[in-house]
Structures are given as C-alpha cells and as structure tokens.
Amino acid sequence: FQSFQNVGEEKNFVFLSKKIEPFSVLEEAPLFDGLKKELAWNEFSGPTFTESYCWPPIARGYDVVVISHQGNDPLLYIPPVLTLLQLESDYQASPNMRGVSLVLCPGWKKAQLVSDLLKTYRKGCRRLHSELVILGQNKGAASQVEIRGCEVVVTTPHSLLRLLEPNTWLLCRLCHLVLDEIEVLFSDTAEQVFTILDCYKKATAQAWVNPPRQIIAVGTQWNKHITPLIKEFMNDPYIVITVIEEAAIFGNVQQVVQPCTNSSRTAELLKLLDFTQRNLQKVLVCTDSVTEVEMIHKALKSNSIVSLKKHKESKCNAKCVLERWRKMHSSGTPAVLVLADDCLQPLGITDATCVIHFSFPSPGVFRQCLQCMTDNFCTGIKDSAADQEHTKAKSVILLTENSSCHAPGILHCLKHAEAEIPEELHDSAARVLESEENRKFSRPLCASLKTFGICRNRTACPDRHQINLSIDMAQNIADEMIETPERVTILPLVIVHATNYFGRIVKKQKDQYTALAKEMRDYFKVPGHRISVNTMEKSVFYGLREGAICHRVQVVETPAKHEENVCEVTVKYIDEGSTSQVKSDQLLHLPAKFQSLPPQAVEIIVCRVKPIDNEVEWNPKVTDHINAKIKGKLHHAKVVYTLGKTVWVDPMVGVTNLAMMKMWINEYNIRSEILSTGLGTDNPEHVAEIQKLCRQMPVLDHADNLEYFTKEDTAGLEEASNPQDTSIQEDSAESCNTSATLPSDDVVETKEAEDSTAHQQKSFHPQIKWFQDTVTVTLKVQILRAADSKCEFSKEKVVFSAYSEGRLYVADLELYQSIIAEKSTCVIKDTEGVILLVKEKKGVWCKLLKNKNVHVSLDFEHWEESEDERTFTVG
C-alpha cells in the first residue's frame, strides 16, 4: 500500500508504506490517559502532523521508520513507547524478568535531553526506572553501572558497546530499540550501530523466551544504510515520510543537473525532450516567467513537439489544462506541459514522469515539482544494483552561469541523493562557498577550529575559518602576550569548557595587574571616589566594585532607552574574560590612570586532547572536574602558539608555591587529568592544524624559534615557569600526589635554591629524557659538547658524568628494576648523550627510578606512541 496525502499545504505532504488512520487532537491519541494529562500539563502543543501518523503504529508495537523535519524531536517516539510500557505483556520477557527498552542517541547531549524528557513524562505513567548511561574508555567503568531492574536505558553507540561487555544479557531482554536521529547515527557511527544490530539479531535468535521485539528509527533525512536496516533487521515496518525531498530519494527519483549556458537552454531542452518521442512520457517544463513560458511553447511548436502551456495570463483555466493533459497521454501522445512556477500548486498534478526546470527553482518550487511526480515514485526497498532500472521519475535542472549562487544547495541535494555530479557544479559551488566564507570575515574565529583544530561543518558554521589581521592581531594587547616566553605562569579565572579558559598571564616579579588591582582597591575605598556614571557608552571602560574587589569592565551592550534610571547593562570583565549583566548604577567612573594598562584577560586553550567518540562538545562531567581543579589556581604552561589574545599551551601543569622553602610542587597535568576521566582522548592533529591556520599571518612559533637555553639562560625563566621541563611531564600529574611537607623529589627548585646547591656540590644535574620498549630503556642526557664523559653501569644503578663549558654534570640514578650492565652502552653526541639500558627481564617498567628526580622526565614524543602506558612516573 502506498499513500500520498497533500492537505492543501506543502508542509502536510506524507508518504506512507501502509495505511494509517491519523488522529487530529490529543484526546484521540493512542496514549495512556495519565500520559495525555502529563502532556497537557506541560503545555504540549501537538500532536504535530507527523506525530498524528507515527504514534499509532509505534503504540501498537510495530517496527516504524519516520523521516520528518521534526525527526530530531524525541516526542516523536517517547509518548507511544511509554504507553507500550504500561502494558505488562509488552515489557515482561518472562514472569520473573522485565524487558528493557533502549534509546540509542548520536551523542551525550541528545542522550541527556531524551533522559530528561523521559523523567518528565513518566510521571503520568506507573513508576518507570530509566537510566542515562554515558561510559568513558576507562577499564571497569561498565561494571560499575547498575542497570538491573532498569526498564529504559538511554545511551550512545560507543557507550552501549562498552556496556555490553559485562552485560551481555541486556540484548536478550531488549524489547524496544529506538534509533534517534538515524541519519546522524549512520553517518558517524554506522559500524557501531550495525555491530549492535547484529548482536541484537543473534541474541534474539538464541533467546529461550520470545518477548515483543520492536525497532523504531526516526530522523530528518533518508540514509542509504536505512535500506539494509529495513531488509535485515526490521519486520515489515511502517514507513512514514513527511519531507518530499526524502520521499523522492526513497522513491528512487533520478535527479540530474545539466550544465549549459543561458543562451543554449532551449537547445538543451529539445535534446532532453527527444526521448519522449520514443517513450510515452508526461513531462512538465517549469520556468519562472510568463515570457519564458510563451518562448518555450513557441520553440517546441516549431520543432513539431505538441505541448500545452499554462501561466496566470492564460485563457485556459486549470481544469481545462488538466483534462487535455490526461487526454494527450491516453491517446498515445507524449504529454508536455509548459507552465509557470506559480501555477504548480493550483493544478495539483501528481502523475508526471519528468520535470525539467528551465529556470533555476527556489526550494519551494523544487519541492512542488517533486510532488508532481509522486504517483511514479518507486515503492518498496530496491537493491542498489537495480536502482537505475526501477527509476520511473526524473528531475532535471538546467544549471547556467546565472544560477551559480544556488550551486551549494543543489550540490548538497545531489550528494544526499547519491546522484551523478558534474564537475562544473563542484567548481561553481567551491566559488560560492569561498565567497560565503569571505562574508564571515568580520565574525569571530570558529571556536571549534581553535579548540580542536577542526570544524565539522564549515558551510553551516556562522563563524570564520581564516585569519583576519584586524581582529586576530588585535591592538591594545597586554605586554605578557606580546612578549610571551616559552613558559608562562597562568591564572585561569573563567572555565568555558574542559580545554578552553579565560584568565591572566602572571609575571613573577612586578606583576603590573597585581599593582593596579591594589591601587584601584585603595582608591575606591574612599567614598568620594565612587562617582556613578550617568551616561553609559559602548566600549568605554568603567569601574565595578564587588565587595572588597574592584574590577575594570567594558560595556558591550547598552539597553534601549529606558524610562527608569537604573537598568541592566552587559559588561565584560576585561582582566578576567567573563561577561555578565550588572545594574547600571553599579558602574563607576574609572580614572585615566587605571585605564593605561591594556586588558589582561587572555584566552587559553590546552592542546592535543578532545572528547572521545567523535563528540563535538565536552561532557559536563569533564568540564566540572576541570573547573573545580583549576579555577583561580596558578599553573605553569609551555606556550605553543599565540594569536592575538589567544594562547595555545601544551602542557599546562597545576603547581603550588612553597614560598618559605623557595620551591614549587607539581600537582597535576590538565591534559592527563582529562584523559584520566576516560571521556577525553588524544588529538594529535590539533597543533598541526593550528600551525596551518597561523601560517596565514606572522606569528611566533615558540617550539621552532626559541633558542636552546643553557642552564644559566634558563634559571630566570624557570622561576616563572617551573616545573623545569613541563613539556615532557605529561603523566607526572597522575603519579604525583605530592604534599607540601615532602619537598625532596617532587620539588622544582627556584633560581636561588639552585645557586646555593651549585656552590656546595660544585656539580650540576643534567636534564634527562627517557623512553622504553619491552627490551630496552633509552635515556637522552641533554648536554652540549660533553667532554671527559664517563658512564658506569651496575645491576640497579647508572652513574653518568661529563664536563660541558667548564661545568661538571653528574647523574647518579638508582633504577627501579634491574638491567644487564655488560650489555648496556653510552654514546656521546654533539648535543646529547644516549644511554641504552638492556632490561634483565622483558616487559614494561612503570617508572625509571626508585625515587623521583625532577631532572628526569619522559621523552614526550616517544611516550605519545604508547599512550596506554599512563601509569608512568616522570622519574
């Protein structure tokens, strides 16, 4: 059975694979009475047109596929599924075992929305236990999730696969499987979804009981993977499509774009109509003007092609045209009707076999023309190999040089329909997209590009993806950003998400903002200095006193004229980076002496880490964890790039200053903290993508442009950026549960402490980086032009010594595990010594030394190749 209904309006088109009796009001809906009351209580405005068709088959337990503009709304399936769960026969797989419903969502954010809606609407039902399950990559996380007794599980494909490892029984009890936003699931996680479906199919075949089985797939677009879903996993499903373009793809309408010049359109049209003389066809030729209708009709007549014409100035009415249209075809003559676009809907034709767009159609006209062929849409599921043979309907667009502005939309349409795409269309679309990108030039730089190195959908993204010198090389930048050293001290104050913050770069000595803040605090303590602002101006700096703290703020948005004296004003805290609304009477006049220091807030981005499972946003659990860990606390970081007021860092390490002992302690590494949650993963392309972006303008690449520093050179730098080489201490944080009372091996000394020990010992400890495989351990001793070097090996110890530029360097290392001394070697090179230790027993060492040594660190590049070895300590 096939039904096409068009209830007077374009939006009410529906394609049905089986007959469904729709309902029009909530009272008639096939839902549980308590649920109807709960929907009404929550001011539910439906049912929508799509819901009126899809709720009945879902509520009766049938397999259903729904494609609609509303296809991302969970209310397409939640009410009827909750109704099903009221019936004991539907949710009990056996007398002693309840069935489970599973909602599979494309990401954590959608899963959270579905979970919240379930909690809202289950109030109108008997008590249902639903569970949101988002699992990270940490081993054992799935075993800690308790889902026994749970009736509805909401999760994602990746999380479900992790959950199934210790819960294989889940699929055996699965009664209702919902695939939410099916086109996104299949485009991003097709392999995972089909793995789940295969496991479900096997579990169903092996189950010793036979509970109800239902699969519901909802989405906004048809996807090629829906065909195997229907054929291999669903049982004669109801298909409900309320989007004509998607129905045309399901109906196998052939969609063609024919490039030609504007002057050759008529000749191209005649070529296209040649086939109608051999095959009886019903062809509509659509154009957007009365003049072109007359011109085309005349051209066809002069080429002996019989045709009808219809436009608003025609004498023949719609009924007359329709009668002649039907007679032409029944008499064995190909029917050709030339008509203006605005005559399509009044005619209501549905039996055309071909539509030719002589002028480029608007989206609305394109949809109306597809509706003109609905009687010839193919029905049922066809194999892709035979698709072309089963094509009954065809849509042709003549693409000329005048219609290139529509190229991206048509290109997207053709790709979605998997149609053949001419090279001219690709080129035309590329030019238009480039032009559109240029129109975004005054927009902010894309946040996703900055944070992860990639933007998933540049076409839809409203922000720019290229450098704008006037914005990115902003004026009025703090000295700390202009002269950013390789290593800096950072104070994060506003946490946007797990890897993006706003804060200040703090100078250890004579920090200008610290002095300014004290001056402002003292100044505004005096009541006579607190002068309220009568007239606010956008972009002007003002003072804002909040308790004992004084801030510099900038008005970013002023309200429209307000009758009252006091109103809400949007301001930006220029030294912290946050934006908020304050009362206008809180703003104070800010003397010029407090405005001379440039805004201190900078944007901070931690590199090389991103959400797992190809998610586009950080899970709030990660952001909350990082927020609690880092906000308002000092951190040391290595700068990778700076761009205007944005700084990319890798790594960024939380530190504690023991002022009395002149020492710093490493507490944690932010990237390692994120990875330890199991919800973050490595993003190795991030830095390279930022480098590619920054090539568009002169920008300091610290990794390439800073010179190699000797110990004397770095002493002052270390005071502002300890630990000494945080760039290679990626996992130090995970094994550093340090205490302020134990400064020995966890302490990085300041310049003063280092100088005093140098005079006492007359020797210095070289910096050492190490990495390993299962057989050997490699140590790289960073020492320039070593002379008189010695390296003594014993079973559990290595002692290296050498002179460099008049200084004696000594490393006395007590190893964590045993080595074969006679097989170990040391080779001296121009800039380093390479020590190769042969392990006595093959395997992975969890650390190098028995006691931690701040001069010994993991070789970051080699360590990255074995990211799973996260129990390593630095020394």
Side-chain angles (χ1 to χ4, degrees):
F1 177 81
Q2 175 184 346
S3 172
F4 295 93
Q5 300 185 26
N6 185 359
V7 194
E9 293 182 21
E10 181 183 311
K11 66 178 181 181
N12 285 336
F13 164 86
V14 62
F15 164 81
L16 303 173
S17 63
K18 299 180 183 182
K19 185 176 182 179
I20 298 173
E21 289 297 331
F23 59 95
S24 57
V25 293
L26 184 60
E27 289 75 14
E28 299 173 357
L31 303 179
F32 193 71
D33 287 341
L35 185 54
K36 292 180 184 178
K37 292 177 182 177
E38 193 63 35
L39 286 164
W41 176 261
N42 285 277
E43 299 181 350
F44 175 67
S45 59
T48 64
F49 182 76
T50 304
E51 288 165 351
S52 69
Y53 279 94
C54 71
W55 279 5
I58 294 176
R60 292 199 296 269
Y62 293 107
D63 287 354
V64 179
V65 175
V66 184
I67 305 297
S68 166
H69 286 308
Q70 188 194 346
N72 57 2
D73 185 355
L75 289 182
L76 277 181
Y77 59 83
I78 285 180
V81 167
L82 287 177
T83 296
L84 273 177
L85 295 179
Q86 307 311 301
L87 306 175
E88 187 175 15
S89 60
D90 280 344
Y91 68 76
Q92 284 190 345
S94 74
N96 299 317
M97 189 184 297
R98 284 183 173 180
V100 177
S101 297
L102 179 66
V103 182
L104 212 56
C105 299
W108 69 261
K109 199 167 187 178
K110 183 59 179 292
Q112 182 68 62
L113 172 63
V114 171
S115 179
D116 292 343
L117 287 171
L118 282 170
K119 290 176 182 177
T120 297
Y121 291 109
R122 73 184 182 187
K123 297 172 186 175
C125 313
R126 65 169 181 81
R127 186 169 181 81
L128 288 172
H129 180 201
S130 63
E131 191 73 38
L132 172 64
V133 179
I134 302 296
L135 290 175
Q137 295 176 327
N138 288 347
K139 292 181 179 179
S143 60
Q144 298 173 12
V145 177
E146 182 53 59
I147 57 173
R148 293 190 182 276
C150 179
E151 293 157 282
V152 184
V153 176
V154 184
T155 186
T156 65
H158 290 282
S159 289
L160 179 60
L161 290 175
R162 296 178 192 121
L163 180 66
L164 289 176
E165 291 180 13
N167 297 284
T168 53
W169 56 267
L170 179 62
L171 292 182
C172 295
R173 288 173 47 193
L174 183 57
C175 293
H176 311 286
L177 172 61
V178 179
L179 303 176
D180 188 294
E181 293 191 51
I182 187 68
E183 75 284 359
V184 182
L185 286 174
F186 276 143
S187 63
D188 294 347
T189 55
E191 181 181 348
Q192 289 76 17
V193 172
F194 278 118
T195 298
I196 292 165
L197 289 168
D198 284 332
C199 293
Y200 180 36
K201 192 174 183 179
K202 291 175 184 176
T204 302
Q206 297 170 2
W208 58 276
V209 291
N210 188 27
R213 307 286 186 185
Q214 181 185 37
I215 297 179
I216 303 163
V218 299
T220 59
Q221 291 185 331
W222 187 264
N223 183 284
K224 63 181 180 181
H225 294 301
I226 298 178
T227 299
L229 169 69
I230 292 173
K231 292 180 65 177
E232 298 174 29
F233 302 102
M234 301 181 90
N235 181 22
D236 191 21
Y238 281 78
I239 300 173
V240 179
I241 305 177
T242 58
V243 182
I244 181 63
E245 302 96 306
E246 306 306 320
I249 293 173
F250 174 78
N252 206 29
V253 175
Q254 185 183 1
Q255 300 190 34
V256 179
V257 172
Q258 184 63 50
C260 62
T261 62
N262 198 53
S263 59
S264 65
R265 280 186 301 166
T266 303
E268 199 65 44
L269 174 64
L270 293 173
K271 290 179 186 177
L272 290 169
L273 289 176
D274 183 52
F275 75 94
T276 63
Q277 304 302 317
R278 296 187 299 272
N279 303 293
L280 293 181
Q281 298 287 331
K282 304 179 80 172
V283 183
L284 296 179
V285 180
C286 303
T287 187
D288 58 4
S289 71
V290 173
T291 304
E292 286 191 341
V293 170
E294 293 291 345
M295 182 269 291
I296 295 168
H297 182 68
K298 187 175 180 180
L300 295 180
K301 187 176 181 180
S302 64
N303 282 271
S304 303
I305 298 175
V306 179
S307 65
L308 304 173
K309 66 178 179 178
K310 176 62 180 155
H311 51 73
K312 283 192 172 182
E313 298 177 11
S314 301
K315 294 180 180 179
C316 190
N317 60 30
K319 185 178 180 180
C320 174
V321 172
L322 280 175
E323 287 179 0
R324 294 176 62 188
W325 164 264
R326 294 189 182 103
K327 286 180 181 178
M328 286 177 70
H329 189 262
S330 60
S331 65
T333 304
V336 180
L337 171 60
V338 184
L339 76 164
D341 294 339
D342 54 11
C343 294
L344 280 165
Q345 194 165 337
L347 285 172
I349 291 173
T350 59
D351 60 348
T353 57
C354 180
V355 173
I356 300 174
H357 295 278
F358 192 79
S359 59
F360 202 92
S362 67
V365 169
F366 182 69
R367 287 192 288 268
Q368 287 178 358
C369 287
L370 288 175
Q371 287 192 52
C372 292
M373 299 185 287
T374 52
D375 290 355
N376 291 298
F377 283 10
C378 294
T379 59
I381 302 297
K382 302 292 191 302
D383 292 325
S384 59
D387 276 352
Q388 204 60 36
E389 298 175 12
H390 290 87
T391 297
K392 294 181 181 179
K394 184 177 182 179
S395 171
V396 183
I397 297 175
L398 300 182
L399 180 70
T400 72
E401 65 275 16
N402 296 337
S403 52
S404 60
C405 62
H406 301 283
I410 288 298
L411 180 62
H412 173 75
C413 178
L414 290 177
K415 283 182 176 179
H416 180 42
E418 297 186 331
E420 184 177 346
I421 302 172
E423 191 63 34
E424 295 91 339
L425 185 58
H426 276 295
D427 296 340
S428 182
R431 288 192 297 270
V432 174
L433 290 174
E434 183 179 357
S435 175
E436 289 180 356
E437 187 66 34
N438 290 334
R439 285 198 290 271
K440 303 175 185 176
F441 206 52
S442 61
R443 294 281 305 165
L445 190 62
C446 172
S448 179
L449 181 62
K450 290 193 292 183
T451 307
F452 304 123
I454 186 173
C455 177
R456 301 278 182 85
N457 192 346
R458 295 195 174 200
T459 304
C461 179
D463 295 328
R464 63 185 165 88
H465 304 88
Q466 56 185 322
I467 295 298
N468 181 339
L469 290 175
S470 64
I471 297 174
D472 298 318
M473 289 299 287
Q475 305 300 311
N476 202 25
I477 295 179
D479 293 341
E480 285 78 5
M481 286 297 289
I482 298 172
E483 302 170 1
T484 307
E486 186 184 24
R487 294 172 177 85
V488 293
T489 299
I490 288 175
L491 183 66
L493 298 168
V494 179
I495 312 304
V496 179
H497 56 65
T499 53
N500 185 203
Y501 333 118
F502 286 91
R504 287 195 296 272
I505 294 176
V506 180
K507 283 191 174 181
K508 286 288 181 169
Q509 297 175 343
K510 298 180 181 179
D511 182 64
Q512 291 177 293
Y513 179 75
T514 302
L516 175 68
K518 184 180 182 304
E519 287 181 37
M520 287 198 301
R521 186 170 59 250
D522 294 341
Y523 177 83
F524 285 115
K525 275 183 182 178
V526 181
H529 291 164
R530 300 174 205 159
I531 305 172
S532 297
V533 177
N534 294 324
T535 304
M536 294 168 297
E537 295 182 46
K538 197 173 179 178
S539 302
V540 173
F541 291 173
Y542 298 102
L544 178 64
R545 193 164 180 262
E546 295 178 334
I549 302 174
C550 297
H551 303 276
R552 298 190 302 167
V553 299
Q554 182 181 35
V555 174
V556 295
E557 186 178 335
T558 57
K561 290 185 179 180
H562 208 278
E563 294 181 4
E564 299 179 8
N565 293 328
V566 179
C567 57
E568 295 281 342
V569 184
T570 304
V571 299
K572 180 177 181 179
Y573 293 74
I574 63 173
D575 300 310
E576 291 85 15
S578 61
T579 301
S580 68
Q581 285 194 327
V582 300
K583 297 288 186 182
S584 58
D585 61 351
Q586 292 179 262
L587 298 181
L588 304 174
H589 174 71
L590 189 68
K593 64 179 180 178
F594 297 144
Q595 298 188 35
S596 58
L597 183 68
Q600 296 294 292
V602 298
E603 183 180 26
I604 305 147
I605 297 172
V606 174
C607 297
R608 295 190 309 107
V609 63
K610 62 183 179 180
I612 60 170
D613 303 340
N614 214 25
E615 293 274 10
V616 296
E617 295 182 56
W618 283 108
N619 190 300
K621 293 179 181 178
V622 188
T623 298
D624 292 345
H625 174 67
I626 295 301
N627 182 67
K629 195 95 178 173
I630 75 171
K631 187 174 180 179
K633 300 175 184 177
L634 286 177
H635 293 74
H636 289 161
K638 180 180 177 182
V639 176
V640 179
Y641 286 101
T642 59
L643 182 64
K645 293 185 178 182
T646 300
V647 55
W648 285 267
V649 296
D650 183 24
M652 181 170 166
V653 180
V655 294
T656 296
N657 182 14
L658 302 180
M660 296 295 294
M661 304 166 102
K662 298 181 180 178
M663 298 171 180
W664 289 92
I665 295 177
N666 281 6
E667 291 188 5
Y668 54 84
N669 179 304
I670 291 179
R671 182 173 181 272
S672 297
E673 282 290 320
I674 293 173
L675 294 174
S676 71
T677 66
L679 296 169
T681 189
D682 187 38
N683 184 10
E685 298 85 12
H686 187 191
V687 174
E689 290 299 323
I690 298 303
Q691 184 180 29
K692 189 188 302 181
L693 174 72
C694 291
R695 284 197 190 116
Q696 301 175 29
M697 65 186 298
V699 61
L700 179 61
D701 178 350
H702 298 283
D704 296 335
N705 297 336
L706 289 181
E707 297 179 357
Y708 178 91
F709 290 100
T710 61
K711 196 68 179 177
E712 298 94 330
D713 296 327
T714 58
L717 179 59
E718 286 163 7
E719 181 181 4
S721 62
N722 288 318
Q724 287 177 341
D725 196 354
T726 55
S727 66
I728 56 175
Q729 296 186 10
E730 277 297 304
D731 268 325
S732 62
E734 296 181 13
S735 56
C736 283
N737 296 318
T738 53
S739 168
T741 61
L742 296 172
S744 55
D745 291 319
D746 296 322
V747 169
V748 181
E749 300 171 342
T750 59
K751 181 176 184 294
E752 294 88 343
E754 183 181 304
D755 287 345
S756 65
T757 56
H759 286 299
Q760 291 170 12
Q761 298 175 1
K762 302 298 182 184
S763 65
F764 299 86
H765 201 299
Q767 296 294 311
I768 299 173
K769 300 179 182 180
W770 72 283
F771 61 93
Q772 66 172 322
D773 55 34
T774 57
V775 179
T776 63
V777 177
T778 302
L779 282 68
K780 292 187 176 182
V781 184
Q782 298 179 8
I783 186 169
L784 286 171
R785 295 177 289 279
D788 298 330
S789 62
K790 294 179 183 179
C791 194
E792 298 176 359
F793 300 98
S794 60
K795 189 174 182 179
E796 295 181 347
K797 195 172 187 179
V798 178
V799 180
F800 173 88
S801 63
Y803 283 91
S804 175
E805 299 182 345
R807 282 189 169 190
L808 173 62
Y809 289 87
V810 177
D812 191 338
L813 308 175
E814 191 174 359
L815 302 173
Y816 176 69
Q817 293 192 33
S818 301
I819 62 171
I820 304 174
E822 57 271 19
K823 291 187 178 181
S824 300
T825 60
C826 176
V827 178
I828 301 298
K829 298 183 179 180
D830 186 47
T831 60
E832 65 181 6
V834 180
I835 300 173
L836 184 69
L837 306 178
V838 180
K839 298 177 180 178
E840 186 177 69
K841 294 181 180 179
K842 292 183 180 180
V844 176
W845 291 5
C846 66
K847 59 180 180 179
L848 176 66
L849 307 178
K850 285 186 177 179
N851 299 309
K852 291 174 66 178
N853 184 328
V854 296
H855 303 285
V856 180
S857 315
L858 284 169
D859 187 321
F860 184 73
E861 294 179 1
H862 289 84
W863 173 76
E864 276 298 301
E865 293 174 3
S866 55
E867 184 83 355
D868 57 321
E869 299 169 1
R870 291 177 182 157
T871 58
F872 286 174
T873 58
V874 178

